[in-house]
Amino acid sequence: MEKKYCIALCILSFFILCIFACKTDMKRQPVEKDGKIYGKIKGAFRHNWWNYYERGISFADGKFWSEAEADFKDAISFWEIDERRARTYGMHFIDYFPHRELGVIYFHQNRFSEAIRELETSLSSVKTAKAEFYLDRARKIDIEQKSLDKASPQVTLEYPGRNTVLNDFTITVKGTATDDTFIKEVRVNGKSFRIDLSNPNIDFTQEIPLSLGKNDILIEVRDLMGNVTKMTETVMCDRAGPILNVDNLIHAGSSRAGYILKGYAYDDSRIKKITIDGKVISQKAGNETLIDHSFQLASGKREIEVIVEDAAGNQTRAKLKPPSDISQTGISKASVSGNEENYYASLASDVLYFAENETDAPVDQRGRAISLSPVKTNHCESLGEYYALIIGVDEYKEWPILKTAVNDARGMKDVLVRRYGFKEENVRLRVDSEATWNVMINDLRDMAGKLGECDNLLVYFAGHGQVDNLTRGGSWIPVNGKRRDTTTWVTNGVITEIFGSEGVRGKNIVIIADSCYSGTLLRDGYNTIPETEKDYQRKLLELAAKKSRQIITSGGNEPVADSGLDNHSIFAYYLLRALEENQRPIIDIENIMLTYVWKYVTEKGGQRPVIGRMKTLMDDYGQYVLALDGKLPQGLEMPKFGSMARTHESYAQTAQASTLRDEEPPKIEVRKWVPKKTVFQDKAYLEGKAEDESGIQRIMINGKNILKRTGKQVYFNHLTNLTAGENIFEVECLDQVGNKAEDKLEIERIVPKIYGDDARMGVVILPFAQDEHFDKQIEEMFKKQMENSNRFKVRPAPLSQAQLVDPKKLKSFMKDWNAGFIIGGTIVKGEESVDIYAKITEVEGMTILTSQDVYGESKLTRGDIERLCKGLTIKLSADRPLAEGKILSI
């Protein structure tokens, strides 16, 4: 009896539940709105979980929130897990996201806490872009309503650190962004790091391209409420090795194995260390390091290796061959360049000259006699022709504007032409924009080349002067000289090489420099001229007949004043005044300085003008003499002289030929590359050496100067990107006087197959699943983005229905098209939303490798949809990265 009663009770309960369910469903009947029916499904409603889910979607499309909510809850009561391709019956599958859709319903009903709960539940089962989209929106409103956001985001950088220096073409920035609520966006130099869903902590990495020099890396972090925190880190990019200049490698002391290496190393990103034959000789951090190192060469070694490394890890290497023997004169021939002519040129600097007494035997520094051969001097019947090059610069581009330099230059030209007989056509005036580096160098060479044996030249410069921090040598600054590029300066080395050489035929040359640090032109010590009334003019003409290379500067190795008196610098004012007031028919330039200028400038200007001779010319005994109207005093004539002693005959010949009018180009040697080389790398490291006795002024690769400091024997290197195919590098080298040497390198880069188009992932994109709102244009946009990617190779292969259904036919077809993967998916387009889903399937085993989706809302333009398609392509690419090397297993 009890058993029958229980059975009856169960049956009754079942019918009551069915009646209740039917009544509940009856309240959710299809509804017509704006000409459309909502709340219906395809086929009969059999109260399965997928029936409830499908009907809930339909109600949600019509914004019938309560009906949709009830259906989703019923679906969850049957099957509570969100998943893609949930199996309904047989081989039928659907994408099933009841928690996600319920969360969206809650959001539209302003039930944000419930929405967050359901959306997080959905994402715990399966990741979808729509759930992430609505979860961020719900979180933002919830934070705003509860006033949960108390602080701005914070950024902690793992890399780069402070003072990071590297030689890469890119840098991977690593860090962590944190917030008391949620981080929504991280941007590095404007490039967004992919964040699908906001999070309180985001570990980010972003690869950023680097340019040479200083790179400011800006990190921007934004939380859900729009608060932004920014930070900047500076990275130095240096892809060129240090510049190594070797001035000399000579024997030291009595030991055959003892040597001294002299030179310098320079690098923009700091010198890290210098080693000689494996021994570190310097680890001083700095942009420039002087090398003055004594060492013993190991027995049997034939060469010395010098390595200079900068802070970025770039290295410059030089292999030097030391002098093999000490010659009988005590000076190593190989210490200069190994050839006899340069050897005697070097020897000459150690000889003591006896210019007017040929019977005195000159000796070298060790007291040993040196044989001489006489060289006759030319006799000049008159004072000779007078030339002048006058330069004044006020309007600098990168340096402070000056006030008086141009006026000083014009005043100098006027007084020389008007009072001292300089012909107008022999005076060249360059002011402001005319006084560029090229023009100044060409003018100096041209004026030196004009001079005959009896001619005189005055060079006057008024403008900025500067000392090189490394070499301590002074320079004149042209109008286009750059503050941080010494190769754009006219160095004292150029000036003294041009006018201090035996080969320049001019008799008397004076350089007057009214600029800062002009005293660096001078040889140590001053020459003064004894003077009496009786023999002054005769003695002056004797001095005027001898060769001289004189320097007059407005100051020593110090800054000098620009402003002064009567729109002139104080130095120019008193010099011009002395030239105006002079009444002597002939007067030497040093007398003018000592008698008139020096005292006033020293007392009133606080600077000390300097009088002296160039550092280069040894037989410098004459004087630069000025004559009123350019004429000899009546009754006087130029004196006659005999021969003058010189060193070895070959030195005299060499001196005559090796002038700064030298037209010998520098030598360039680019190491490790043949004229044309084939490589597989995407970068090339060009190494080389440039040398010239007058000094290397510039080294340019494809028009870009890579030399930061001048030198006679310069080792350089340069890291550069290579494009696929032929790469041409034109190397150009200029010496101090503008002689040029050129070379051309050709490097062919072959792209490895793994980086070629054929190595991309070959895919065939199947027609996307369609619904009543399907938009064919979206499918085409997605295909275009896939074709433009660097990861996929889309095969334009139309597939028939038979091929799609039959696995054998599909595999055969895909093999013919060299594509092992198919991409299919769905596009669900609402009135104001788009949901695009794609999956990659491996054909051989019909295995789904990855699936990704994107979601967007509101009034979506064509550009918005293109961005969604690009985002989907990026997601698929990131999930299937390019594999390099031999794949051992998957």
Side-chain angles (χ1 to χ4, degrees), residues 712-725:
K712 291 188 176 182
Q713 189 175 135
V714 177
Y715 293 81
F716 65 91
N717 57 49
H718 181 67
L719 182 65
T720 182
N721 261 333
L722 296 177
T723 59

Side-chain angles (χ1 to χ4, degrees), residues 136 183-186 192-199 202:
D136 276 345
I183 298 294
K184 179 57 181 172
E185 184 179 31
V186 176
S192 292
F193 174 70
R194 177 184 162 189
I195 299 176
D196 296 332
L197 178 66
S198 64
N199 200 292
I202 297 289

Side-chain angles (χ1 to χ4, degrees), residues 59 67 78 131 165 191 196 335 346 424 428-429 473 565 583 687 698 704 761 794:
F59 277 127
E67 290 83 353
F78 285 101
V165 183
K191 186 177 179 181
D196 296 332
S335 68
S346 175
E424 185 82 32
R428 190 173 297 177
L429 177 66
L565 301 168
Q583 297 301 318
E687 297 180 273
R698 296 183 185 181
K704 185 174 182 180
M761 193 173 188
V794 179

Side-chain angles (χ1 to χ4, degrees), residues 65-310:
W65 307 128
S66 58
E67 290 83 353
E69 177 185 346
D71 272 342
F72 291 139
K73 285 182 176 180
D74 284 343
I76 291 170
S77 68
F78 285 101
W79 190 262
E80 62 179 358
I81 299 175
D82 287 19
E83 62 178 312
R84 286 201 182 274
R85 291 181 58 80
R87 182 173 179 175
T88 56
Y89 62 93
M91 295 301 294
H92 295 271
F93 301 87
I94 67 168
D95 290 336
Y96 178 66
F97 309 116
H99 286 288
R100 183 188 76 180
E101 298 303 325
L102 182 58
V104 173
I105 296 298
Y106 286 149
F107 178 86
H108 288 300
Q109 296 180 67
N110 298 326
R111 296 155 65 181
F112 301 111
S113 296
E114 294 171 276
I116 291 171
R117 183 189 68 237
E118 293 298 326
L119 292 167
E120 288 179 341
T121 300
S122 175
L123 288 170
S124 68
S125 300
V126 60
K127 181 180 176 180
T128 63
K130 185 176 181 180
E132 293 167 341
F133 178 87
Y134 273 100
L135 180 54
D136 276 345
R137 293 183 66 182
R139 283 173 171 175
K140 181 178 180 180
I141 296 174
D142 188 59
I143 291 167
E144 189 173 25
Q145 290 179 345
K146 298 176 180 178
S147 301
L148 298 177
D149 192 4
K150 305 295 184 183
S152 296
Q154 300 295 315
V155 183
T156 303
L157 269 188
E158 177 184 343
Y159 185 81
R162 288 189 176 183
N163 302 319
T164 297
V165 183
L166 66 166
N167 58 4
D168 292 330
F169 288 82
T170 61
I171 182 173
T172 300
V173 180
K174 298 180 181 180
T176 302
T178 59
D179 191 66
D180 57 346
T181 57
F182 297 94
I183 298 294
K184 179 57 181 172
E185 184 179 31
V186 176
R187 295 168 65 88
V188 182
N189 277 12
K191 186 177 179 181
S192 292
F193 174 70
R194 177 184 162 189
I195 299 176
D196 296 332
L197 178 66
S198 64
N199 200 292
N201 298 280
I202 297 289
D203 294 325
F204 62 89
T205 60
Q206 192 70 282
E207 189 174 62
I208 299 298
L210 291 176
S211 57
L212 287 174
K214 181 180 177 183
N215 292 261
D216 289 329
I217 298 177
L218 174 63
I219 297 98
E220 301 170 275
V221 178
R222 180 173 63 86
D223 64 17
L224 267 178
M225 300 308 297
N227 300 310
V228 177
T229 296
K230 299 180 181 181
M231 73 173 296
T232 301
E233 194 64 66
T234 299
V235 170
M236 287 296 297
C237 178
D238 181 4
R239 294 195 284 269
I243 295 297
L244 169 62
N245 176 64
V246 177
D247 286 323
N248 217 343
L249 176 60
I250 59 175
H251 280 290
S254 58
S255 170
R256 288 179 174 270
Y259 296 94
I260 297 177
L261 176 65
K262 291 180 179 289
Y264 70 82
Y266 176 86
D267 194 87
D268 282 334
S269 64
R270 303 189 311 277
I271 299 295
K272 183 178 179 182
K273 65 180 178 180
I274 302 172
T275 62
I276 295 181
D277 278 347
K279 182 180 179 181
V280 177
I281 67 166
S282 177
Q283 285 184 299
K284 295 179 180 178
N287 295 98
E288 51 203 27
T289 301
L290 287 172
I291 301 173
D292 189 355
H293 181 66
S294 302
F295 63 97
Q296 294 286 319
L297 186 64
S299 177
K301 280 192 70 76
R302 298 284 182 175
E303 62 182 13
I304 302 159
E305 185 177 44
V306 182
I307 302 175
V308 184
E309 183 176 338
D310 63 18

Side-chain angles (χ1 to χ4, degrees), residues 316-317 668-671 686-690 714-717:
T316 297
R317 297 169 179 260
I668 303 176
E669 177 188 346
V670 180
R671 300 193 313 230
L686 308 180
E687 297 180 273
K689 178 178 73 172
V714 177
Y715 293 81
F716 65 91
N717 57 49

Side-chain angles (χ1 to χ4, degrees), residues 820-824 839-843 845-850:
F821 307 89
I822 56 175
I823 295 181
K839 60 183 178 183
I840 300 177
T841 303
E842 188 265 322
V843 176
M846 296 307 293
T847 303
I848 296 176
L849 301 182
T850 184

Side-chain angles (χ1 to χ4, degrees), residues 327-331 343 347-354 361-372 647:
S327 69
Q328 293 180 350
T329 60
I331 300 176
Y343 162 63
L347 181 65
S349 65
D350 294 328
V351 172
L352 304 177
Y353 282 79
F354 297 88
V363 295
D364 65 18
Q365 290 181 327
R366 289 177 172 78
R368 289 172 292 198
I370 298 174
S371 63
L372 304 174
T647 60

Side-chain angles (χ1 to χ4, degrees), residues 419-420 531 536 570-571 573-604 609 611:
R419 296 206 74 221
Y420 292 93
E531 178 185 347
Y536 174 73
I570 192 166
F571 172 80
Y573 173 80
Y574 284 108
L575 177 58
L576 292 174
R577 178 176 163 182
L579 292 171
E580 287 284 0
E581 295 178 356
N582 169 53
Q583 297 301 318
R584 286 181 171 175
I586 57 173
I587 189 169
D588 64 285
I589 199 74
E590 289 189 0
N591 192 315
I592 290 175
M593 285 296 302
L594 291 170
T595 306
Y596 297 100
V597 181
W598 192 87
K599 181 176 184 294
Y600 292 109
V601 174
T602 301
E603 291 179 352
K604 299 180 183 296
I611 310 159

